[in-house]
Amino acid sequence: MFNIGSISNEIKEETKGLIDQNNHQEDIQDSLKQFTHNVSSEEILEALRQLYYIEKFASIDDIGNFIIILNKTTEKQLTKVTITDDVTHPINIFTKEIEYLESLVADIGQLLKEVEMENTDAIKSLKDRVATLSGLVAHFNRKEKILFPVLERRGIYILPRKMWADDDIIRNYLKRLQKRIEKIGEIEWRHVETAFIEFEAVFIEMLKQERLLLVPLMQEQISPVEWAQIAVESSAFDYAIEVPEIWHDPEIEPQTIEADLDAKKGTKNLRFGGGYLTTKEANLILDNLPVEITFVDKNGVFKYFNDLVESSEMMFIRTPISIGRNVANCHPPKSLSKVMAIIRDLKTKQRESESMWFKKDGKFIYVTYKALFDEDDEYVGILEYVQDIQPFFDLPQRMKRNAEK
């Protein structure tokens, strides 16, 4: 597996020079043949990622044009998926989603032109297609919550953080576009057109980043066992396209936990609180509390969540692949400073706990964060518990009046 930290400045500078020459329409075919003779595809792709994300030397279109001529001139196919032809494999589902979302945006652009020409029959089709764009949320969520944790294990942080920040911008542009599409006929047309143009620019650029820079990285860095785990956990976040079945490779042995390390099988009574429990009993109790529990240890490592319901039904979706992820990488860049400030205040006892609530899918969700300290007052970590408090709002009026007496 290629070590991403091993890329030399010489390779990066030569890649930079070739891109610059190609941008000026100079013939680089002979130079490319010589360059790629001694440089691997992984090294070239890492150079391109650094030039895009760190040095900001090249645009995504510069990179795309460079890869096109490199693929034509040499035997390398930098962005081709080669690990499998199975359409149900997560990497092929991901690339298929990219193609689908690109075509969806193109369709919407055409429908907008028809609506502008006062084709009233196109309005319903336009609204339906824009609503379908919500599939990008599932695509982004799987990328951020399942694919990025695996890359972070390899020491890859810059690409995930940059992409996640841009994903949040795209989500906001999508919300604005969908609101303005619903108001066609009530607002000036230029507002609808502007919303689409701005959304299209950032979204298409992200899809190009994924196809040219992320997919090859996934192919290089993610192991077969990890792909199997990704396949199982992806359904919790849904997909932008129809997925017929979960990918399974019979040659990949499922990961197992040694019996003496598996709390679900523990039969020895241990002291818990004011009594005794086996670890099996303690685990069952935690999994049956009417709250979602998450624990981050003193080093900021996401270490535990309870199995109250299936991941797809959770208020905050958690899956095992994120275990071991640093808490700073579990949150979108836009909310990171707020999250870290809460953790700092709880750790230093400036706050005893922090609670907040919001509405999600018609339910009121109540979230509490609390720092844990041991008998020596040493900081142990942060406990998060999430509750669905909608049932309290749904109490009969008679019971509410009695409670106020």
Side-chain angles (χ1 to χ4, degrees):
M1 190 174 289
F2 174 66
N3 181 354
I4 62 166
S6 66
I7 185 74
S8 69
N9 283 329
E10 182 181 353
I11 292 173
K12 191 163 56 176
E13 289 301 315
E14 195 162 354
T15 305
K16 188 187 293 188
L18 288 166
I19 290 173
D20 190 53
Q21 288 178 284
N22 192 48
N23 287 347
H24 290 86
Q25 298 182 334
E26 297 179 26
D27 187 349
I28 62 171
Q29 293 189 30
D30 289 340
S31 299
L32 271 177
K33 289 177 182 176
Q34 185 176 354
F35 175 59
T36 57
H37 182 70
N38 297 315
V39 180
S40 69
S41 297
E42 291 77 18
E43 289 173 313
I44 296 170
L45 285 162
E46 180 56 27
L48 293 174
R49 281 187 286 269
Q50 291 192 21
L51 292 177
Y52 182 77
Y53 290 110
I54 300 175
E55 298 192 15
K56 303 186 186 306
F57 169 81
S59 71
I60 199 64
D61 287 329
D62 291 339
I63 289 171
N65 293 333
F66 173 74
I67 289 175
I68 288 171
I69 192 168
L70 186 146
N71 287 346
K72 286 181 179 178
T73 304
T74 71
E75 295 181 356
K76 296 183 185 295
Q77 296 295 316
L78 292 191
T79 56
K80 183 179 179 181
V81 174
T82 57
I83 59 174
T84 180
D85 294 326
D86 191 328
V87 295
T88 64
H89 190 285
I91 198 168
N92 286 324
I93 291 172
F94 193 80
T95 55
K96 198 69 178 176
E97 283 183 327
I98 294 171
E99 294 170 7
Y100 168 72
L101 291 167
E102 285 177 328
S103 68
L104 184 57
V105 171
D107 289 348
I108 291 169
Q110 182 58 42
L111 286 167
L112 278 168
K113 292 176 183 177
E114 292 179 25
V115 172
E116 188 178 15
M117 298 298 290
E118 300 185 351
N119 179 353
T120 54
D121 293 337
I123 294 178
K124 183 179 184 307
S125 295
L126 174 63
K127 289 183 176 180
D128 289 344
R129 299 301 274 168
V130 171
T132 306
L133 270 175
S134 294
L136 71 82
V137 175
H139 179 77
F140 284 173
N141 283 344
R142 292 199 329 280
K143 176 176 65 172
E144 297 155 358
K145 302 296 180 65
I146 295 182
L147 296 169
F148 286 172
V150 180
L151 297 180
E152 289 160 9
R153 294 173 193 168
R154 312 285 190 267
I156 301 168
Y157 298 104
I158 293 175
L159 179 148
R161 300 313 287 171
K162 297 274 189 182
M163 277 196 169
W164 199 340
D166 288 344
D167 287 350
D168 283 336
I169 292 170
I170 293 165
R171 287 183 177 99
N172 289 332
Y173 275 126
L174 174 61
K175 289 176 185 176
R176 186 175 69 166
L177 172 62
Q178 290 176 329
K179 287 178 181 177
R180 291 189 179 179
I181 289 292
E182 287 302 318
K183 291 184 177 180
I184 287 177
E186 302 174 27
I187 60 176
E188 292 183 38
W189 178 255
R190 63 185 176 89
H191 295 307
V192 177
E193 191 173 41
T194 298
F196 175 72
I197 290 171
E198 292 179 345
F199 167 77
E200 179 186 36
V202 291
F203 186 44
I204 293 300
E205 176 159 341
M206 174 54 67
L207 294 177
K208 289 177 180 177
Q209 288 180 51
E210 290 179 351
R211 186 175 64 252
L212 300 174
L213 301 176
L214 176 59
V215 170
L217 185 64
M218 289 157 48
Q219 180 166 238
E220 165 62 22
Q221 295 291 333
I222 300 177
S223 71
V225 171
E226 288 166 331
W227 278 124
Q229 189 176 5
I230 288 166
V232 170
E233 297 183 17
S234 288
S235 59
F237 296 95
D238 208 0
Y239 303 91
I241 60 174
E242 193 71 29
V243 175
E245 60 185 55
I246 295 175
W247 175 75
H248 172 68
D249 186 343
E251 294 183 5
I252 297 175
E253 295 184 8
Q255 293 179 300
T256 58
I257 301 173
E258 293 180 27
D260 59 342
L261 297 178
D262 190 352
K264 294 180 180 180
K265 299 177 182 178
T267 57
K268 183 179 180 180
N269 278 304
L270 301 173
R271 181 69 180 266
F272 283 93
Y276 294 88
L277 294 168
T278 66
T279 55
K280 180 179 180 179
E281 291 167 338
N283 186 71
L284 284 169
I285 290 170
L286 289 169
D287 284 350
N288 284 277
L289 293 174
V291 291
E292 292 177 10
I293 299 172
T294 299
F295 176 67
V296 174
D297 74 8
K298 64 181 180 181
N299 298 313
V301 175
F302 174 33
K303 199 170 182 180
Y304 170 82
F305 67 92
N306 63 335
D307 279 332
L308 176 64
V309 293
E310 291 292 327
S311 293
S312 59
E313 299 175 20
M314 289 180 177
M315 291 171 279
F316 287 178
I317 296 178
R318 310 286 194 225
T319 62
I321 209 164
S322 290
I323 294 296
R325 197 179 192 188
N326 190 283
V327 66
N329 297 323
C330 292
H331 296 83
K334 66 178 182 180
S335 63
L336 180 59
S337 59
K338 181 179 179 181
V339 170
M340 299 313 289
I342 291 173
I343 292 175
R344 182 182 63 248
D345 288 352
L346 292 172
K347 183 178 180 179
T348 56
K349 297 189 175 182
Q350 293 182 52
R351 308 188 216 187
E352 186 174 323
S353 65
E354 177 70 16
S355 297
M356 59 191 74
W357 67 270
F358 59 91
K359 200 164 187 179
K360 180 182 180 184
D361 299 330
K363 298 178 181 179
F364 282 97
I365 309 300
Y366 190 70
V367 187
T368 301
Y369 301 93
K370 183 177 178 60
L372 303 183
F373 297 87
D374 66 14
E375 63 277 7
D376 297 319
D377 206 30
E378 291 289 325
Y379 172 68
V380 176
I382 298 289
L383 177 69
E384 173 197 75
Y385 49 100
V386 184
Q387 304 172 75
D388 173 11
I389 58 172
Q390 186 63 42
F392 299 107
F393 287 91
D394 295 338
L395 286 171
Q397 203 63 37
R398 176 178 54 81
M399 293 184 67
K400 291 180 182 178
R401 285 196 297 268
N402 290 339
E404 292 171 358
K405 291 180 180 180

